[in-house]
Amino acid sequence: MEGFDAIVLAYRAPQGQEKDYSKVAFHLTDLLAQSQTRLIVVGGAGSMYLDDERMTRLVDTLPKTLPYYPTVNQMAIASLIFKNSAANVTFFSPAEFFDPEGKETGNYTLTNDILGHNAAGESRISYADYASALVAMIEEGRYQNEHIGIYENEKRS
């Protein structure tokens, strides 16, 4: 994978094959461990912490009976594989509500690995703002070897 400044992984495992998130994480981090190529993972909000002590993640608070729980749980496990690897990985988690219909506002905040909320208590981001932030992150070379998040600053009317 030499010759690339960055690779973006945006992957959804098929239902029933959620353990593939870990397999992909191990495979890519092994491939990139000795490389200068940066991996940016489109992660999930479930891996974000809810407290400054970093004891509780969003996934830890979700009922295991939710139909999407296996995806959230396995993506959170994969986030730890990426974090503990020798590869240059940025795990980029969206807000709790990842809005496919939302407009690009340019009005968002990037956070560390603690889930962020705006002044109205909302944790949301549009796909468009997320994509814009991702491109800027690549172009600016920021947030290498970090787990970061993003949320929209203002409440929608």
Side-chain angles (χ1 to χ4, degrees):
M1 297 209 195
E2 293 301 320
F4 293 99
D5 293 329
I7 297 169
V8 176
L9 174 63
Y11 168 72
R12 177 143 194 244
Q15 186 174 3
Q17 297 177 29
E18 291 84 358
K19 290 190 178 189
D20 284 356
Y21 289 113
S22 293
K23 293 176 187 175
V24 169
F26 280 124
H27 181 70
L28 286 175
T29 56
D30 285 347
L31 283 174
L32 296 171
Q34 303 301 318
S35 173
Q36 297 298 316
T37 302
R38 176 183 184 190
L39 176 64
I40 300 172
V41 179
V42 175
S47 59
M48 298 294 280
Y49 288 98
L50 301 178
D51 56 328
D52 290 336
E53 296 79 24
R54 291 173 173 78
M55 299 297 291
T56 304
R57 296 178 301 162
L58 180 60
V59 67
D60 301 328
T61 68
L62 299 175
K64 293 180 180 173
T65 56
L66 289 172
Y68 54 85
Y69 181 83
T71 295
V72 175
N73 185 51
Q74 291 299 318
M75 285 186 83
I77 291 169
S79 75
L80 299 175
I81 296 167
F82 287 116
K83 177 182 179 179
N84 294 314
S85 77
N88 181 1
V89 179
T90 302
F91 197 88
F92 189 24
S93 292
E96 259 183 282
F97 179 56
F98 200 12
D99 185 359
E101 305 291 322
K103 307 268 188 237
E104 183 176 357
T105 67
N107 190 13
Y108 54 80
T109 297
L110 295 172
T111 67
N112 56 17
D113 59 351
I114 298 173
L115 187 66
H117 296 83
N118 62 22
E122 295 178 328
S123 178
R124 67 181 304 136
I125 193 70
S126 68
Y127 281 25
D129 275 336
Y130 181 96
S132 177
L134 187 138
V135 169
M137 183 190 331
I138 293 169
E139 290 175 344
E140 297 166 8
R142 295 177 30 202
Y143 305 105
Q144 297 195 33
N145 292 306
E146 291 185 52
H147 182 174
I148 64 169
I150 185 171
Y151 65 91
E152 183 178 272
N153 291 329
E154 293 183 11
K155 183 177 179 177
R156 293 171 184 256
S157 50

